[in-house]
């Protein structure tokens, strides 16, 4: 009996040691996004996590933290840089100071349309910029691009030409480049926090704003009175999926290759989700009485030439390469 008891105890101990070994070998990766659960970027990264767990046979466990639960974008970037967050979907704004070339994507009408933007980020230029981010002091490895939507005007009065914007105050993101873009397009650009826009439109502090259809619908800005959606497509700004350099350096070369492969797949999956969301929310906006106005973009393109000249001089060669992409 004593020998049997000893054998059982040894077997249990070995099993426990095996479980503990598996537990210690498993790495938990925290992913974060300011967008809410169900948003295309969140869904695509969650799918990436499931693929990673399966491909690594459970060596990696994935946890998604959407909806800014880990802080605003600036706070989450800082956490990513020190390795507290391992994967992050972020805008390009905070990356610009360390990789100036990404600012070229903020230029008005730098892309002819969404298809042109995708051809650029899917090609050599897109990869070059991802590599520059990874090699920069930003302490983040750029895995993939994400669609951030094509931004157009929504206003209380219909806009078809730059002249129609005269005297209209239009909310823009808080960047001098964007404010100057609206001023050049004929309006009066007003820098304002996103959370203030509904009340500002409702009370007449601004006459409109600019964004993509999913944002217009989910923020209910059309209910504040912005019933005209003029398809200027003046800004088409991609976003990025990055991994903490701290976490990246702990991966084996094989796992790094796997992570890049899955990142690329997430890029393409998010694109499909985004296109479906734009179609869905556009239909919902039209059902709510929002008028979509198709226009000739050339007058707006021509009007913003001084903005591209002012902010894009240092990117002249890169902008020409982007323009040459078919």
């Amino acid at each position: 009996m004593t020998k049997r008891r000893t054998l059982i105890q040894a077997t249990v101990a070995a099993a426990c040691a095996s479980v503990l070994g598996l537990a210690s070998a498993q790495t938990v990766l925290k992913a974060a996004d300011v967008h809410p659960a169900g948003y295309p970027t969140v869904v695509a990264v969650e799918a990436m996590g499931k693929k990673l767990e399966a491909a690594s046979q459970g060596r990696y466990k994935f946890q998604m933290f959407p909806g800014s639960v880990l802080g605003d974008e600036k706070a989450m970037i800082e956490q990513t840089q020190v390795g507290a967050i391992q994967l992050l979907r972020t805008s390009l704004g905070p990356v610009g100071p360390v990789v100036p070339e990404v600012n070229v994507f903020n230029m008005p009408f730098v892309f002819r349309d969404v298809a042109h933007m995708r051809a650029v980020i899917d090609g050599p230029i897109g990869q070059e910029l991802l590599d520059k981010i990874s090699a920069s002091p930003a302490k983040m490895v750029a895995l993939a691009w994400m669609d951030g939507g094509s931004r157009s005007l929504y206003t209380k009065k219909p806009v078809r030409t730059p002249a129609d914007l005269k005297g209209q105050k239009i909310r823009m993101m808080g960047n001098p480049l964007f404010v100057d873009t609206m001023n050049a397009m004929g309006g009066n650009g007003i820098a304002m926090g996103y959370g203030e826009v509904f009340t500002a439109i409702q009370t007449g502090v601004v006459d409109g704003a600019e964004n993509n259809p999913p944002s217009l619908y989910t923020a209910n800005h059309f209910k504040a009175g912005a019933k005209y959606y003029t398809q200027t497509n003046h800004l088409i700004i991609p976003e990025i999926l990055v991994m903490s350099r701290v976490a990246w350096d702990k991966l084996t070369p094989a796992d790094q290759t796997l992570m890049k492969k899955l990142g690329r797949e997430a890029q393409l999956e998010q694109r499909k989700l985004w296109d479906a969301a734009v179609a869905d929310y556009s239909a919902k906006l039209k059902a709510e009485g929002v008028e979509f106005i198709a226009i000739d973009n050339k007058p707006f393109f021509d009007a913003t030439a001084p903005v591209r000249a002012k902010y894009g001089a240092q990117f002249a060669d890169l902008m020409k390469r982007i323009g040459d992409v078919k």
Side-chain angles (χ1 to χ4, degrees):
M1 284 292 290
T2 301
K3 287 183 179 180
R4 185 181 177 190
R5 187 180 298 114
T6 302
L7 180 60
I8 292 173
Q9 289 173 339
T11 303
V12 171
C16 288
S18 176
V19 170
L20 289 172
L22 285 172
S24 62
Q26 186 179 69
T27 300
V28 177
L29 300 178
K30 288 164 56 179
D33 200 318
V34 296
H35 294 309
Y39 197 84
T41 53
V42 174
V43 175
V45 174
E46 285 175 332
M48 174 185 174
K50 291 177 182 177
K51 291 180 183 179
L52 179 62
E53 289 182 8
S56 67
Q57 297 181 317
R59 286 186 295 109
Y60 293 102
K61 181 174 173 56
F62 204 81
Q63 292 181 344
M64 187 76 210
F65 295 87
S68 299
V69 295
L70 297 182
D72 60 18
E73 195 162 72
K74 181 177 182 295
M76 289 194 292
I77 287 172
E78 291 170 353
Q79 292 175 69
T80 303
Q81 290 173 323
V82 299
I85 291 173
Q86 285 73 49
L87 284 161
L88 177 68
R89 195 287 316 157
T90 179
S91 66
L92 287 178
V95 182
V98 288
V99 186
E101 289 89 345
V102 303
N103 288 321
V104 74
F105 288 163
N106 290 326
M107 296 291 158
F109 299 104
V110 70
F111 299 116
R112 294 184 293 274
D113 49 34
V114 170
H116 179 216
M117 181 273 290
R118 289 173 175 174
V120 170
I121 64 173
D122 287 351
I125 294 174
Q127 189 57 54
E128 285 172 25
L129 291 182
L130 290 178
D131 291 343
K132 281 182 178 291
I133 294 169
S134 299
S136 76
K139 299 180 182 178
M140 297 183 293
V141 175
L143 299 178
W145 295 101
M146 295 267 168
D147 272 38
S150 179
R151 301 175 76 96
S152 289
L153 284 171
Y154 50 88
T155 51
K156 294 179 178 179
K157 300 176 183 178
V159 172
R160 293 180 174 83
T161 68
D164 293 335
L165 270 172
K166 185 176 181 180
Q168 293 207 47
K169 301 182 293 294
I170 307 297
R171 180 267 175 180
M172 302 295 289
M173 293 181 285
N175 181 323
L177 166 60
F178 300 142
V179 173
D180 284 355
T181 293
M182 181 49 56
N183 292 342
M185 287 171 64
N188 180 11
I190 305 294
M192 179 183 295
Y194 190 60
E196 303 171 45
V197 178
F198 183 95
T199 302
I201 294 174
Q202 192 176 49
T203 59
V205 172
V206 297
D207 301 296
E210 48 83 64
N211 218 313
N212 52 60
S215 295
L216 172 56
Y217 186 86
T218 57
N220 287 316
H221 290 168
F222 64 96
K223 291 184 178 178
K227 287 281 192 174
Y228 296 95
Y229 190 76
T230 303
Q231 296 174 279
T232 50
N233 298 306
H234 52 278
L235 293 174
I236 305 175
I237 308 174
E239 301 171 340
I240 51 172
L241 176 66
V242 298
M243 186 169 190
S244 167
R245 170 63 69 179
V246 175
W248 177 263
D249 288 344
K250 294 177 182 177
L251 299 180
T252 64
D255 285 346
Q256 289 177 348
T257 299
L258 173 62
M259 197 68 73
K260 285 187 175 181
K261 173 181 177 290
L262 296 180
R264 174 69 172 187
E265 290 176 7
Q267 173 174 324
L268 298 178
E269 180 169 349
Q270 188 265 347
R271 181 171 298 174
K272 293 178 182 177
L273 293 167
W274 180 257
D275 287 346
V278 170
D280 179 40
Y281 285 115
S282 294
K284 289 178 177 176
L285 286 166
K286 291 173 183 177
E288 292 281 355
V290 174
E291 181 181 344
F292 278 58
I293 303 174
I295 60 164
D296 175 8
N297 295 74
K298 191 174 186 305
F300 291 96
F301 173 84
D302 292 342
T304 52
V307 179
R308 288 187 294 279
K310 176 181 177 181
Y311 291 95
Q314 60 183 313
F315 312 124
D317 291 342
L318 182 54
M319 289 178 71
K320 183 181 184 306
R321 289 179 62 203
I322 289 172
D324 288 343
V325 173
K326 304 302 180 185

